[in-house]
Amino acid sequence: MDVQLVVIKGNPRGRTLTFGPGEYLVGRGAECHIRPDSEWVSRQHCMFTVAAERILLKDLGSTNGTLVNGHRLIGERDIVHGDAIQIGPLVIQVRLPEQEALLEAMKRTDPPDNDVTMVDDDAIEQVQTVHFPSKKKSE
């Protein structure tokens, strides 16, 4: 699985970083893969682990913390498509191209008659189809 991290706040805003499977350090240290230039970012701030079926984010005991969707990350957690991660002044959004393409295709597909498909953009796993009985016309 590839993951895209899009800078939505901070410099360089709008830039997309793409990562394949592996572990990626974020911090000011020379050994880090993503190096925000800010005193608010620790030398080794956090780490992304991209695997075949999941993406894990772990705070490495940073002084100012790592926020996921506005909440301070304690330890580690899975991250999903659409999550916003704040590291110092930098805010990046997680994009999973496979899920983004699936969501777009689902939005463009007309459901069969008498079916309603509900899509939660934040969680593709929560797609649900509800079947309604068809009304028979009286003769």
Side-chain angles (χ1 to χ4, degrees):
M1 166 190 316
D2 285 349
V3 61
Q4 294 178 338
L5 304 177
V6 181
V7 179
I8 59 173
K9 184 176 179 187
N11 289 322
R13 186 176 183 170
R15 182 168 182 192
T16 300
L17 307 168
T18 302
F19 297 96
E23 292 185 333
Y24 303 96
L25 282 172
V26 179
R28 289 182 296 129
E31 70 280 7
C32 295
H33 300 92
I34 302 173
R35 292 190 294 268
D37 185 22
S38 171
E39 294 177 5
W40 290 90
V41 178
S42 297
R43 196 170 81 68
Q44 289 191 349
H45 198 95
C46 61
M47 181 171 41
F48 287 95
T49 301
V50 180
E53 297 296 323
R54 66 192 287 208
I55 304 161
L56 192 67
L57 178 63
K58 180 178 185 178
D59 185 83
L60 299 175
S62 63
T63 303
N64 294 306
T66 303
L67 303 180
V68 178
N69 301 325
H71 301 281
R72 188 170 183 144
L73 173 64
I74 306 297
E76 60 185 26
R77 68 167 271 186
D78 286 314
I79 55 173
V80 297
H81 179 78
D83 278 348
I85 299 164
Q86 183 168 352
I87 303 159
L90 185 68
V91 180
I92 52 180
Q93 185 174 45
V94 177
R95 299 252 173 98
L96 302 173
E98 295 167 3
Q99 286 190 3
E100 199 164 76
L102 181 59
L103 282 171
E104 286 305 312
M106 290 175 72
K107 287 178 184 177
R108 283 186 254 117
T109 303
D110 290 330
D113 288 342
N114 302 321
D115 286 354
V116 176
T117 302
M118 296 179 283
V119 178
D120 180 351
D121 286 342
D122 294 329
I124 189 66
E125 302 86 31
Q126 297 189 11
V127 174
Q128 175 182 9
T129 299
V130 179
H131 299 279
F132 294 98
S134 50
K135 294 182 181 178
K136 294 184 180 182
K137 295 182 181 179
S138 352
E139 295 183 68

